[in-house]
Amino acid sequence: MPNRGTTPHNHKTWAVVVGMEGEEKEISYDRLDDGATPGFADLKRGGEQVLTAGEITRCYPEHIHSVWNVGKNISMSLHTYGRHINYTGRSEFDLEHKREKPYVLKVAVDENE
């Protein structure tokens, strides 16, 4: 959906992303602290790029980024990860409060299937 996206997060595994439709802006972040204090993360906004249909980008395990649909229509991208992202110990980040917490996606299961 237009003007929707993700909080800053990492994947703790490699990823390759291919733009399929629309426009997705990826914003990268640099971590300023050493990660030694549990729950704390001091991030600074880094570079950004817009991914469109046919373009490819990649993420390294510690890469921190957020992604936003900046187009007027639905955006779609294909993501391939080196490992299942719910089992890598990945994190999401709260920039305002300088917090880091576990980032696990919940998948709804239809018990009638």
Side-chain angles (χ1 to χ4, degrees):
M1 300 297 295
N3 201 31
R4 291 184 65 186
T6 66
T7 58
H9 63 278
N10 59 20
H11 296 282
K12 298 278 182 112
T13 187
W14 60 263
V16 176
V17 181
V18 179
M20 304 296 288
E21 184 177 329
E23 302 171 75
E24 291 182 355
K25 179 191 286 188
E26 177 191 32
I27 302 167
S28 296
Y29 297 88
D30 297 316
R31 189 163 188 162
L32 303 176
D33 67 295
D34 63 5
T37 305
F40 177 79
D42 188 10
L43 305 181
K44 176 181 81 168
R45 188 177 173 142
E48 61 183 58
Q49 67 178 5
V50 175
L51 186 68
T52 59
E55 294 183 317
I56 300 170
T57 190
R58 47 73 183 122
C59 298
Y60 294 106
E62 295 304 321
H63 179 78
I64 300 171
H65 71 155
S66 62
V67 180
W68 284 92
N69 179 346
V70 293
K72 295 181 181 180
N73 299 306
I74 290 174
S75 65
M76 187 175 3
S77 55
L78 175 65
H79 298 236
T80 302
Y81 300 101
R83 296 176 48 213
H84 188 301
I85 57 175
N86 276 356
Y87 300 99
T88 61
R90 74 186 189 138
S91 298
E92 70 177 323
F93 300 90
D94 177 338
L95 299 175
E96 181 181 349
H97 299 101
K98 297 186 178 185
R99 293 190 185 132
E100 176 181 8
K101 67 180 184 177
Y103 190 19
V104 177
L105 294 176
K106 295 180 182 174
V107 178
V109 177
D110 185 349
E111 295 180 14
N112 297 321
E113 291 183 9

